[in-house]
Amino acid sequence: GAGVSQSPSNKVTEKGKDVELRCDPISGHTALYWYRQSLGQGLEFLIYFQGNSAPDKSGLPSDRFSAERTGGSVSTLTIQRTQQEDSAVYLCASSSSVDEQFFGPGTRLTVL
Amino acid sequence: EDKVVQSPLSLVVHEGDTVTLNCSYEVTNFRSLLWYKQEKKAPTFLFMLTSSGIEKKSGRLSSILDKKELFSILNITATQTGDSAIYLCAVWVQGAQKLVFGQGTRLTINP
């Protein structure tokens, strides 16, 4: 009965480096979401996967951000050429219904 | 643009007080409204509301939705220090398949 897991829990990187953030959704959940939360801000929707459908990329802040979901399960969010404004907590959520989402513990990204 | 606004942004009360948190929304195609509690990193689900006027209740927490006036409230009675958290309101936008979140209300309960 594991929940959503994310790794790493914390990531410190230098400006300009690429980073990969991983999300393992709850088994059987067909929908997977990525959000980010900057300090003192609300949650910002990034991208959404539903089953094998093409993802909704409308929320990605720039072309430096991309995400994949392999085999309808694990997802990776990649940020290329990181900038200081990318520093935030990146949250992943999964759901089996279209309403309630279960969140992972998040990855705190710090770009120096 | 779809928008969810919460108020107040911050609230400090004493243990035992009752608090009311507000959430108003303007979205293109409303499906449901959700309340979450965020203590550290991950938000935890509290309520989902889809119909007007029907109160959802869980212990000392309750919530109600008004789809005519486009708002919801979250009430917490007999507050405890463990209720200290950020409370997030989110609206599911039908068709867009995404949750639009408010800024959150930071609630602090002092002993």
Side-chain angles (χ1 to χ4, degrees), chain A residues 7-111:
Chain A
S7 60
S9 56
N10 284 284
K11 176 73 177 177
V12 180
T13 190
E14 293 179 348
K15 179 181 172 180
K17 300 281 190 183
D18 298 350
V19 295
E20 282 189 355
L21 313 179
R22 177 188 168 104
C23 172
D24 282 273
I26 293 172
S27 178
H29 280 191
T30 57
L32 186 149
Y33 306 79
W34 283 99
Y35 298 89
R36 75 175 173 184
Q37 189 171 33
S38 301
L39 188 64
Q41 303 295 313
L43 279 163
E44 175 190 3
F45 168 79
L46 294 179
I47 192 167
Y48 158 68
F49 294 89
Q50 175 60 50
N52 294 320
S53 302
D56 175 3
K57 301 181 182 180
S58 61
L60 292 175
S62 80
D63 57 8
R64 297 185 294 104
F65 287 71
S66 62
E68 290 184 340
R69 188 178 185 193
T70 54
S73 181
V74 171
S75 177
T76 302
L77 178 69
T78 301
I79 309 173
Q80 296 178 309
R81 305 181 303 282
T82 50
Q83 303 295 313
Q84 289 182 330
E85 61 262 27
D86 299 333
S87 296
V89 175
Y90 288 81
L91 287 160
C92 173
S94 71
S95 69
S96 58
S97 72
V98 296
D99 295 302
E100 183 181 349
Q101 299 183 3
F102 295 86
F103 283 82
T107 294
R108 184 178 298 278
L109 174 67
T110 303
V111 182

Side-chain angles (χ1 to χ4, degrees), chain B residues 19-92:
Chain B
V19 297
T20 298
L21 310 183
N22 304 291
C23 175
S24 63
Y25 60 91
E26 289 180 35
V27 299
T28 50
N29 196 354
F30 176 90
R31 178 186 171 90
S32 58
L33 185 145
L34 293 88
W35 284 96
Y36 289 88
K37 178 182 182 182
Q38 187 175 25
E39 293 179 85
K40 292 180 180 177
K41 282 184 186 175
T44 54
F45 173 80
L46 294 175
F47 296 112
M48 184 182 74
L49 302 151
T50 55
S51 301
S52 274
I54 298 174
E55 184 183 54
K56 291 277 183 97
K57 197 169 171 67
S58 176
R60 296 175 294 102
L61 278 66
S62 63
S63 183
I64 198 161
L65 173 68
D66 186 328
K67 290 170 74 174
K68 183 179 177 185
E69 300 298 328
L70 307 183
F71 78 91
S72 174
I73 60 172
L74 175 69
N75 278 320
I76 309 175
T77 59
T79 52
Q80 302 170 358
T81 55
D83 295 328
S84 295
I86 296 173
Y87 289 82
L88 295 168
C89 172
V91 172
W92 185 265

Side-chain angles (χ1 to χ4, degrees), chain B residues 11-19 78-81 107-111:
Chain B
L11 184 59
V12 181
V13 300
H14 290 291
E15 203 167 21
D17 289 351
T18 293
V19 297
T79 52
Q80 302 170 358
T81 55
L107 177 63
T108 303
I109 310 297
N110 288 327

